[in-house]
Amino acid sequence: MLIKAKLLQLEQYDCFNIFKTRKKEFILSKQFLRSGTSIGANIKESVYGQSTKDFVSKLRIALKEASETKYWIELLFETGYITEKEFISIHTDCVELIKILISIINSSNKNNNKSPNSEL
């Protein structure tokens, strides 16, 4: 899961550099980069959670950031800042990561009967 998050972040950083240099776009791309880099940081932090509840809490934050990242990817595509090919690649990776996070959270919470919103 952490490797998937890192790969997504590397893709985002490449896109951010394109936005910054070629497209001269800074607002959307910074939000996109900020939410994306938070995903991996929260996943990494969850590994050393003090309890299952802490572990799940960090993963829920990562899930929220992944959802926000998905929003920015969609907005960047809809405004023409990324091509359909770039969109499909990054969007697919983001959706896969969201599914992984939801699965882990649900598995961790199966005794508590709590689950995140699984709407993609």
Side-chain angles (χ1 to χ4, degrees), residues 73-118:
I73 293 166
E74 292 166 352
L75 193 58
L76 286 163
F77 175 65
E78 290 167 10
T79 55
Y81 282 105
I82 58 176
T83 66
E84 184 173 5
K85 182 179 177 182
E86 292 166 328
F87 169 77
I88 290 169
S89 174
I90 298 170
H91 189 264
T92 300
D93 289 344
C94 190
V95 168
E96 286 175 12
L97 188 55
I98 288 170
K99 288 178 181 180
I100 291 168
L101 287 165
I102 289 171
S103 177
I104 292 170
I105 291 167
N106 285 339
S107 294
S108 297
N109 282 329
K110 83 175 157 180
N111 292 334
N112 295 335
N113 202 17
K114 296 177 186 174
S115 64
N117 184 349
S118 62

Side-chain angles (χ1 to χ4, degrees), residues 8-64:
L8 177 62
Q9 289 166 9
L10 291 172
E11 279 186 288
Q12 287 179 289
Y13 190 73
D14 288 344
C15 283
F16 177 74
N17 281 331
I18 290 169
F19 300 144
K20 190 171 68 173
T21 57
R22 282 195 265 157
K23 306 259 185 182
K24 304 294 185 209
E25 196 293 314
F26 299 99
I27 309 268
L28 297 176
S29 57
K30 281 185 181 180
Q31 289 295 117
F32 168 63
L33 187 63
R34 192 173 295 125
S35 64
T37 54
S38 180
I39 300 167
N42 280 289
I43 292 170
K44 185 68 173 175
E45 192 174 345
S46 76
V47 173
Y48 296 102
Q50 296 171 335
S51 63
T52 301
K53 186 176 179 179
D54 188 36
F55 170 75
V56 170
S57 175
K58 299 299 184 220
L59 289 184
R60 284 182 182 274
I61 294 169
L63 177 59
K64 287 171 35 177

